[in-house]
Structures are given as C-alpha cells and as structure tokens.
Amino acid sequence: MAAQTILIFTTTKSAAGVAQFNEVIAADLLNAGYATIIAQPAELDYRARVEFCSTAARRYFTRDPYDDVLAFGDDKFLAARVLAETRPDLVVFSTGVHPLTNVAAMQTASFLGIPYVIIDALVARSVFEWNDKTIELAAKLYRNARAVIVQSQEN
C-alpha cells in the first residue's frame, strides 16, 4: 500500500519564520513515512535562504499570494489545480501571510472531502476585523477543520 500523502499548503515565503516551521513539520512527516508535498510561492533561491530545508516534494503556485492577498484567497481554480495534482489524503494549511489567503483552498478541500488542519501563525485581533459574512465563512471553515493550531504572541 502506498504511503498516505500530506500536502502542506502555505502562502509564506522563505523569509518568514513560518517557512522554517513548515520545513520541520515536513521533515517529521517524511520520517514518519508519509509522502509529503509543500505547495508554496515560487522563489528562485528558496533552498539557499532557509536554515533547514526538508526533502519534501515541491509544488509552486502559478501566482504570488503577496501580489494580492484577497485575489489569491479567492482563486478556486489555483486551489483545485494544486489539490488535483497532489491528490492529498490530508492538507495542512499553514498561514503566515493572512488567514484569508487559504479560503478558496479550504473551501475546495472541503468540497472534495479532503480533511484538513489549520495552523495559523497570525491571529492578532486586528487581522480578524472583517464583515459579518466573512466572519461567518471563516468560522465555518475553521469548524470543518480536523484541528486548528494557533501560534502568536497575541494569544
């Protein structure tokens, strides 16, 4: 039987501490016998810019979430392509840019019946000053997650 595949879907570039966190998670998953893929923004010198780089497979986004956070977070086509190409058994959404960058991908995973975990490194109150409709959507996505892990000085 083939190893289960875990996709780490992150909008964070290597300069952020979340990137190192993702690399450690990927290495631990690989050591535990899981096929592990990191989907992330493309960077020319990624491996040279991180202190530790796992041997996880890579899948680079066709657009940069830093160019337009809300447009990236609403791009269901990109999310569907990444999930179709990687065929994960579980998705780990690791957020370091903004929680809304993963909305379309979480919706797509939920629609396809792929379980997911959310790791949120940005949970300051000011980040969540949204309108009621957005709060309702985010709350539903977070409730549907198998687990939600938050890490912040503001917690």
Side-chain angles (χ1 to χ4, degrees), residues 23 26 36-40 46-47 53-60:
E23 294 296 335
T36 307
I37 303 166
I38 299 177
Q40 67 185 74
Y46 179 80
R47 291 186 185 275
C53 192
S54 72
T55 58
R58 305 287 161 161
R59 167 56 172 89
Y60 297 103

Side-chain angles (χ1 to χ4, degrees), residues 11 13 41 62-72 97 101:
T11 52
K13 290 187 177 181
T62 54
R63 69 186 304 167
D64 190 338
Y66 288 78
D67 290 342
D68 188 339
V69 169
L70 296 179
F72 185 91
V97 176
T101 56

